[in-house]
Amino acid sequence: MKAWRADLLDFTAAPAWGDTVAAGAVRYRPDHWLVVDDAGRIAAVQPEAPAEGIERVEDHRGQLLLPGFIDTHVHSPQIGVIASYGTALLDWLNDYTFPAERAWADPEIAARGSEHFLDALLAHGTTTAAVFPTVHKIAADALLTAAAARGMALVAGKVLMDRHAPDGLRDDDVATAERDCIDLIARWHNRGRNRYAVTVRFAPTSTPEQLAMAGALCRSDASLYMQTHVAENRDEVRWVGQLFPHARSYLDVYASAGLLHPRSILAHGIWLDDDDRAALRDAGAQVAFCPSSNLFLGSGLFDWPAMIAAGAAVSVASDVGGGTSLAMQRTLADAYKVQALAGHRLTAWTALHAATRGAAEALQLGHEIGTLEPGRVADFAIWRWAANPVDAERQRLARDLHEKLFAWITLADDRHLVGTWVAGQQRFAAAGTPASDRNDNERSAA
Ligand code: GUN
Ligand code: ZN
């Protein structure tokens, strides 16, 4: 058993929209102990030091311990295209993103890139993500291999595209793509902590036949995830209307193919209507709101309250490389700004919940991650409240917990991270902090 002493914060329920108090939903336990068993699960959270059976104690008094962040939509091969100038979605894909993704046909590049990507997530306090690699089977394999090596709970699958993409980025045919998926599902789905997602890039890059195959895969096993993009950009929505003239809406293309279900994650959802939102609710599917991407690519302002009114689930995601940071604080701060532009106010509670417990529940993984409850896997990160004179002063002046957390979300990023633990094992240590058990694996292997 190991124990960490810090200020613990998590959620027991979804905070109500606009409620800055959120009594009964926010669980703040300052100066408490998180006790983790040898299997990497949370054994207890308590106000006093554990009496016995603890082989190591880490004292992080005055620092914030949160469940590991969950990024529900991000692209592993796009780290290198972050911050690419001057385009909206469709040109951005053609000019920057597709050329970068083509390189991942090389197994060496896919392996090294996947490791670099996951280590970057961990260096931002993110312990679980739903990830798009590339169309190449080898790239999905490399990503899931690297996730297994780090003990991370990842949701991912080979990207499906068989049209409107350049040479080297298209599936040969529907049958080959289906075989690749079936092989990868057998190898990775529910193996260790990995889960497979049928990954349709977006409607324009799949033929109706490929979409039907993806829907049949989902029907064959209800435990599979599905991830895609929907209604991100107005030119894209218009193009989908031309490609699928019989569909009622962009979302209806996916609904008709059998791709909407409780494990479906649809990124963006900016240009949806009320019927679409009702369809998402009825299917139990979620939208991954990607605010930094939506601002950077000029895609539009996501209507979060409309989703709440419809009873449909929302998580928050970086969408790197359309998004401009892997830091979930920056993502949440941008979410606040997008909602403010649309005349709404996003509380720190709704924001943090959406990146932890809310995302875990939307992914149907609430039994495993997202909270600091006994029995959950010990995926967590420890943060400094402040890392420079400006945010130190702001924290000093904060009058209540919501003000503290709101300022922290708005001002903090990966520079505030002390360390990241996955199943109780340290997988990232900030420079200058003791990585006391970073080498557990090496030690036990020696
Ligand atoms: N739509 C289709 N592919 C992509 C992608 O890679 N990023 C974003 N933001 N939107 C997409
Ligand atoms: Zn995306």
Side-chain angles (χ1 to χ4, degrees):
M1 303 256 260
K2 297 181 231 170
W4 288 261
R5 182 177 188 179
D7 299 336
L8 275 57
L9 180 84
D10 68 345
F11 295 89
T12 55
W17 183 266
D19 180 1
T20 56
V21 178
V26 179
R27 180 165 51 188
Y28 185 51
R29 293 175 283 189
D31 198 15
H32 272 58
W33 300 75
L34 179 80
V35 184
V36 175
D37 69 20
D38 294 339
R41 289 191 182 265
I42 296 171
V45 174
Q46 56 195 55
E48 70 281 352
E52 56 194 28
I54 304 294
E55 78 206 33
R56 183 160 50 237
V57 168
E58 285 205 38
D59 190 346
H60 292 277
R61 258 176 287 181
Q63 297 181 330
L64 178 64
L65 190 156
L66 295 176
F69 284 134
I70 300 168
D71 187 343
T72 56
H73 181 86
V74 59
H75 299 256
S76 53
Q78 294 182 15
I79 294 275
V81 301
I82 277 189
S84 293
Y85 174 77
T87 51
L89 175 65
L90 299 175
D91 290 334
W92 175 82
L93 285 172
N94 287 318
D95 295 354
Y96 299 114
T97 305
F98 287 157
E101 292 192 9
R102 207 144 54 163
W104 286 48
D106 178 340
E108 262 298 300
I109 289 176
R112 269 190 287 112
S114 297
E115 290 169 5
H116 172 67
F117 168 76
L118 292 178
D119 288 338
L121 287 185
L122 294 166
H124 289 76
T126 297
T127 48
T128 282
V131 186
F132 282 54
T134 62
V135 71
H136 314 102
K137 186 181 182 186
I138 188 83
D141 213 52
L143 177 66
L144 290 158
T145 299
R150 287 157 182 75
M152 295 170 76
L154 218 73
V155 175
K158 172 205 126 51
V159 175
L160 290 164
M161 22 187 199
D162 66 351
R163 64 169 170 172
H164 300 136
D167 290 350
L169 273 189
R170 288 189 310 273
D171 291 304
D172 290 339
D173 52 56
V174 173
T176 309
E178 181 179 33
R179 235 181 357 259
D180 286 353
C181 291
I182 289 170
D183 284 354
L184 288 165
I185 290 164
R187 188 151 3 144
W188 291 114
H189 184 51
N190 285 331
R191 296 297 160 105
R193 302 185 71 193
N194 281 323
R195 275 87 174 179
Y196 195 83
V198 174
T199 302
V200 174
R201 182 177 210 116
F202 67 155
T205 45
S206 285
T207 57
E209 294 72 28
Q210 191 178 60
L211 291 175
M213 179 275 284
L217 280 176
C218 291
R219 270 193 301 279
S220 74
D221 180 351
S223 70
L224 288 169
Y225 288 80
M226 194 292 294
Q227 55 182 350
T228 190
H229 299 87
V230 71
E232 173 178 4
N233 164 291
R234 275 186 283 201
D235 290 337
E236 170 212 19
V237 173
R238 220 170 291 122
W239 190 23
V240 170
Q242 291 160 5
L243 293 170
F244 298 90
H246 302 299
R248 192 201 69 79
S249 67
Y250 189 159
L251 186 79
D252 188 47
V253 173
Y254 299 137
S256 304
L259 291 166
L260 293 194
H261 52 73
R263 288 188 165 80
S264 299
I265 311 159
L266 298 108
H268 307 297
I270 296 167
W271 306 104
L272 299 174
D273 63 19
D274 285 343
D275 288 350
D276 291 325
R277 285 184 276 262
L280 288 168
R281 173 201 58 219
D282 292 347
Q286 64 168 301
V287 165
F289 169 29
C290 306
S292 84
S293 169
N294 299 163
L295 291 168
F296 183 73
L297 295 174
S299 302
L301 306 178
F302 173 71
D303 192 342
W304 193 333
M307 290 288 288
I308 291 176
V314 176
S315 57
V316 178
S318 71
D319 192 30
V320 161
T324 48
S325 174
L326 288 175
M328 289 308 287
Q329 297 95 331
R330 291 209 175 182
T331 307
L332 299 175
D334 281 345
Y336 176 85
K337 294 169 194 169
V338 167
Q339 294 310 304
L341 277 169
H344 309 302
R345 295 292 163 208
L346 176 65
T347 67
W349 303 138
T350 294
L352 262 184
H353 175 264
T356 54
R357 183 188 181 112
E361 288 178 347
L363 292 172
Q364 314 236 324
L365 294 175
H367 58 286
E368 179 176 328
I369 55 174
T371 55
L372 304 172
E373 269 169 38
R376 304 292 188 274
V377 179
D379 290 356
F380 63 92
I382 297 179
W383 302 90
R384 290 190 285 161
W385 281 102
N388 64 54
V390 172
D391 64 340
E393 177 69 353
R394 186 66 189 87
Q395 286 298 328
R396 194 180 67 75
L397 293 172
R399 291 162 305 179
D400 60 30
L401 188 60
H402 183 266
E403 214 174 294
K404 254 178 108 59
L405 263 297
F406 183 74
W408 186 77
I409 286 170
T410 305
L411 301 173
D413 58 23
D414 54 306
R415 289 169 294 185
H416 293 63
L417 184 58
V418 174
T420 307
W421 287 261
V422 177
Q425 300 272 333
Q426 190 161 16
R427 296 293 178 185
F428 173 78
T433 62
S436 52
D437 59 353
R438 183 168 40 177
N439 296 318
D440 274 5
N441 283 345
E442 290 100 281
R443 264 205 294 280
S444 53

